[in-house]
Amino acid sequence: MTDARHACRKNSFHTDVTALGNLTHKVVGYSHVTKNQERSSQKHETYGTEKLYEDFERKGIKVKVHSHDRNASVSKYLSQNQPDVIDSYDTWHGAKEVRRNMAKITKGTRKNIGKTWHPELRDKSAGVKTHVYWAMKNCNGNAAQLVFLLDSIVDHYKQDHRNCHQTSRCKNNDYVPHTRHHSGSNSRSCCYE
Ligand SMILES: [Zn+2]
C-alpha cells in the first residue's frame, strides 16, 4: 500500500511516498521527492512511486498487489512498467470518498430541504462510512456479498435488522440506536452522541 504526503517548506514543495506491507503494516519502502527533482508537484506521487520500484528491484522485493489512493498516473505507470503487479485502490480512501460524496444529500440550504438533501440523513454519513469500510473488509472479495452488505445499510436505518450481521450491535434486543430514526407517527428520538 502506498500513500503520498505533500508538504511545503520554505517555498520548496516536497512529497513523501511511503509503502507499507499489506499484512505486516511495516514500512517496506520510502521515497522523498523535492521540487528540484520534479518541478510539477502533481507528478510527485508518480515520481516517488517510480523511485520506490527502483528500490524494490535493488532489494529484491517482489510486489504482488499495489493499492494506492486512486491516482490515475500511478495506475498508468503500473500498467506500462510493472505488468506483473495487480493495480488496486485502497479501501481506506474508498470509504473516505463515500462520506465526501454523501455530503451532497446530507447537508444543504433550507430552501433545498427535501429537494437535494434531507435532514434525516444528516447524522448518517459517519456510520455509513464505517459500515462501507467494514463491508469491504468482510466480503471476502465477493462482489455480490459486498452489494448485499451495502444494501443492508438502508434496511438498518429503516429499523429492519434482518439482514444486519450477527455481530452488529443492533442484533441485541436492548439495542438503542445512536442516530435518529423516523418511522412514521411512532418516530422517537433516541439518544444522541
Ligand atoms: Zn441493523
Side-chain angles (χ1 to χ4, degrees), residues 156 161 164 170:
H156 171 83
H161 303 295
C164 292
C170 57

Side-chain angles (χ1 to χ4, degrees), residues 7 12 14 18 28-29 35 41 44 54 57 78 84 108 121 125-126 134 149 155 166 169 179-181 183-184:
S12 71
H14 63 112
T18 308
V28 289
K35 210 150 187 169
S41 50
H44 275 190
E54 285 166 18
E57 187 143 352
L78 292 177
D84 297 333
L121 297 171
S125 64
W134 176 87
L149 293 173
D155 292 331
Q166 69 266 19
R169 271 181 304 151
T179 48
R180 279 165 280 178
H181 287 252
S183 45

Side-chain angles (χ1 to χ4, degrees), residues 7-104:
C8 196
R9 203 189 294 149
K10 284 187 196 154
N11 289 328
S12 71
F13 195 97
H14 63 112
T15 303
D16 298 303
V17 184
T18 308
L20 298 181
N22 186 41
L23 297 175
T24 61
H25 276 258
K26 288 199 172 124
V27 176
V28 289
Y30 167 79
S31 67
H32 179 231
V33 187
T34 65
K35 210 150 187 169
N36 294 334
Q37 291 166 301
E38 168 56 63
R39 281 200 56 76
S40 160
S41 50
Q42 280 82 31
K43 292 181 186 159
H44 275 190
E45 185 164 354
T46 313
Y47 187 92
T49 304
E50 286 181 44
K51 291 218 301 184
L52 277 179
Y53 275 91
E54 285 166 18
D55 201 34
F56 290 153
E57 187 143 352
R58 271 194 300 275
K59 289 181 180 161
I61 296 175
K62 252 189 103 55
V63 179
K64 211 164 140 192
V65 180
H66 180 168
S67 68
H68 57 92
D69 176 15
R70 255 187 109 171
N71 183 313
S73 307
V74 171
S75 287
K76 193 175 159 208
Y77 165 78
L78 292 177
S79 69
Q80 288 176 350
N81 301 282
Q82 307 291 341
D84 297 333
V85 174
I86 300 167
D87 181 23
S88 78
Y89 303 143
D90 74 59
T91 51
W92 189 80
H93 282 99
K96 213 172 85 164
E97 281 296 294
V98 168
R99 187 170 192 181
R100 206 171 65 88
N101 281 293
M102 256 187 89
K104 291 169 204 153

